[in-house]
Amino acid sequence: MKIKNIILIGIQVCMLVGATSCSDFLEEKNYSGQSAEKYFATAKGYETLIYGCYADLKNIYNNTAYANMGQMGTDMFTQLAPLATNAMNQYISSYTSADGTVSGVWDNLYVTLKDINAAIERSSSVILKKDDKDGIDPDVLAQRVGEAKALRALCLFEIVRNWGKGPLMLTEPTSASKAAEYSDAPAFYNQILSDLNDAVAVLPVRQIGGDYGRISGSAAKHLRALVYLTRGYQSYADSKDFENAFKDAQDVYENSGHKLLDDYRLVHSQANEVNDEILFSIGFSTDGNFNTGRQYSWYTVDTREGWSGLTKSALYGNADPLCAPTKYTYLLFDWKKDRRAAVTFMSPLNGDPATSTDGKSAGKNWFECTEATEQFAKGDKVVYFPVPLEDDFKYWTEEDKAAVPYTVYNYPTGTPTDMSEDEYYLNCYQVNDARSRRTFLSVWKFKDCNPVYDEYGNFTGTRDMYIFRLAETCLVAAEAAVMNNDNANALKYINKVRERAARHALEAGLPLYQGTVTLDNILDERALELLGETPRWNDLQRTGKLVERALKYNWDITHITGDTKTLLTEETYRNKFCLRPIPLSWLNSLSNGQELGNNQGW
């Protein structure tokens, strides 16, 4: 019983469509014969405004712009091209306020805020059930407003942690505005916490049955913990921010009814995506109008071009890779003792339909021939990635490689900062129509069971996107405990995640954390547990570790910079790169854009 379709009706929103067969969250209706104002005042009409708030989240999170902004230029992900530069990844001079990725996320956040504010403001005009048969139950109305406030807090949090300031939009725009004003970060945080306090007070602890897919009190409390945690590092922090972050995270873990699943594989099994660990997710439907999930393609190799025997095929679906894991990412995983390695990447586990995250065999650690050639029959091994989980795992010599018809790329060895090995994935690439892309062991935990190849590049994923889950709650609690000098609780909560990672692994013995837990321990564990799920850039930004870890582990930042060099230093981070640029396109649309100015350094 889950929500898969969330779509919107309305004059200032979109058109209402669709529903699922197993949930009453949405119903398929046609209300075009009723005036908008009267319709939105009814229970069903008001629900469509709320549905639209959820639908808008897809424009934010199911979007390459958000993924790029969250992962590029970090310790865990780097660019696809081994010879060219990526301004956001390398922090070079071509990264400016005109960047389309940054403006895309900004625009989507403010469009979503507009619709959320419409839902909140119009709640005062909704007919109550006691007065009219078409009215809404007062308790239900209070919950819907609580949902909208939690979603508004989420959007405002994305704005403040990335840009540090912006228009604090809290009302529904009724006309186009040519002028704007900024509110500072403390004002944003005050509003975010006010909205979340209101939401937690009225929302059910969990959303179940026909309401699964709505944001719950536990999800709102998880977000509040993350908000407290993030503000706690700032100069304007409240003295109790870290304490409050820990209390909220602890409460969600102890009292929400959510629990860590026994097996990390089950967390990411598409057949089990409605599970006790998920606090909040964005759902997609098998209906043709809603199967637009794209996450599965962002961290995988493009198999459509550049390889003999690999063609445009539904086996792997449309490829839209954004970035490649760094060498550090691969070396961080213990394949035999940590279950997460086999689940996260292409592996024998993901090549077995009985255990793979998508229930199919395409996730094995080799790409199979999709169209017969003189060299390969359909189904043959074309590109092979040996992984430490295999019984016959070895380092392939040049002689070994020459003895087989397929291409072999060895698993990375050595140290994260040594890129001299010819075998390292980021030094290996195929040429596609005069373009080059790296070839690497793909992240597979997001793989979708329903991809098809579409010549026009349309995406057909139906896998849910996890926004918050309980494992992250534990790591938020652990980080807050570190910052609150509470090492006992830091150990307790980081090891809850670690203990689950050891279960069902090939070998026993994954070490638990002992001694003093550090921020680097937290960041490593977040990488292992949440790779690609949460914006890594914000984790490094929050903890003040971006420069140290990005320069140390993302080799491209200091070695592939074209005619320029990276501008990233501790000083430039403080004076520029700690925040995103306010989009030039937005500033240019305003009559007072020049007066408003940009963030420092931009």
Side-chain angles (χ1 to χ4, degrees), residues 18 73 163 220-221 275 290 298 306-307 321 405 414 418 492 523 530 539:
W163 288 276
K221 195 170 286 188
N275 65 66
F290 307 105
W298 292 340
W307 295 102
D418 183 3
K492 174 182 177 180
L523 289 169
L530 302 166
D539 291 341

Side-chain angles (χ1 to χ4, degrees), residues 4 93 107 132 219 230 259 308 329 384 553 574:
K4 283 295 207 175
S93 58
D107 291 346
D132 192 295
T230 304
K259 63 182 181 180
S308 174
T329 299
Y384 173 48
Y553 298 129
R574 289 192 302 271

